[in-house]
Amino acid sequence: GAEGSYNELFRRGVDAAYGAAADDVYRAYCDLFRACPLAVRTANRVFVSHSLTPARFLDRFDPARLEEDEFPDADLSPGGLVYGLVWGRDADDDTAEEFLRRADADLLVTGHLPAEEGFLVPNDRRV
């Protein structure tokens, strides 16, 4: 799907930009994703993350795991916690609704969808 092709484009972009150092740079990205905070949930129930877990992996999404200090390699692969919050692009109403139910939040703010006008509202639960 589109998700896989965007990820491949990212990898090819790293290869083109960094040449012989591309593997080290890509590994550094993965290390950053593995160790950095992935989301914020505000007191007024807004969940902020780069993206949201795609529908096909929602049954694996456990928001309690977001409190872990580091994430294993499996979390960086499709279906993993980090992967979904970094690479997911599912803007479907039902996906956002279920994601927010699992995250115990009312509104989702992400930054992973291109927006010509600076922002977009793909459904009534997501900006």
Side-chain angles (χ1 to χ4, degrees), residues 23-47:
D23 287 343
D24 291 335
V25 170
Y26 188 79
R27 205 169 9 263
Y29 272 113
C30 290
D31 290 345
L32 172 67
F33 298 151
R34 185 182 294 110
C36 74
L38 295 173
V40 172
R41 185 176 47 221
T42 66
N44 63 344
R45 301 178 50 80
V46 176
F47 192 92

Side-chain angles (χ1 to χ4, degrees), residues 3 11-12 15 17 31 36-37 48 61 70-71 73 85 93 96 101 104 108-109 111 116 125 127:
E3 182 180 302
R11 181 59 200 240
R12 283 191 286 183
D15 289 345
D31 290 345
C36 74
V48 182
F61 176 66
E70 292 187 21
F71 302 98
D73 288 344
L85 292 177
D93 290 348
R101 187 189 68 72
D104 193 28
L108 178 61
V109 177
E116 297 270 335
R125 304 293 301 274
V127 177

Side-chain angles (χ1 to χ4, degrees), residues 112-127:
H112 202 85
L113 296 174
E116 297 270 335
E117 303 297 320
F119 74 95
L120 58 94
V121 182
N123 57 56
D124 66 349
R125 304 293 301 274
R126 185 174 182 192
V127 177

Side-chain angles (χ1 to χ4, degrees), residues 40-118:
V40 172
R41 185 176 47 221
T42 66
N44 63 344
R45 301 178 50 80
V46 176
F47 192 92
V48 182
S49 63
H50 185 65
S51 192
L52 76 153
T53 303
R56 69 183 181 279
F57 300 129
L58 268 177
D59 61 331
R60 301 178 197 172
F61 176 66
D62 178 4
R65 293 203 49 235
L66 293 170
E67 296 179 24
E68 295 177 8
D69 291 331
E70 292 187 21
F71 302 98
D73 288 344
D75 280 335
L76 276 78
S77 298
L81 180 67
V82 175
Y83 186 94
L85 292 177
V86 172
W87 297 110
R89 283 184 170 80
D90 192 336
D92 182 75
D93 290 348
D94 292 337
T95 303
E97 186 75 29
E98 178 61 16
F99 181 87
L100 286 166
R101 187 189 68 72
R102 290 174 178 266
D104 193 28
D106 297 324
L107 181 65
L108 178 61
V109 177
T110 67
H112 202 85
L113 296 174
E116 297 270 335
E117 303 297 320

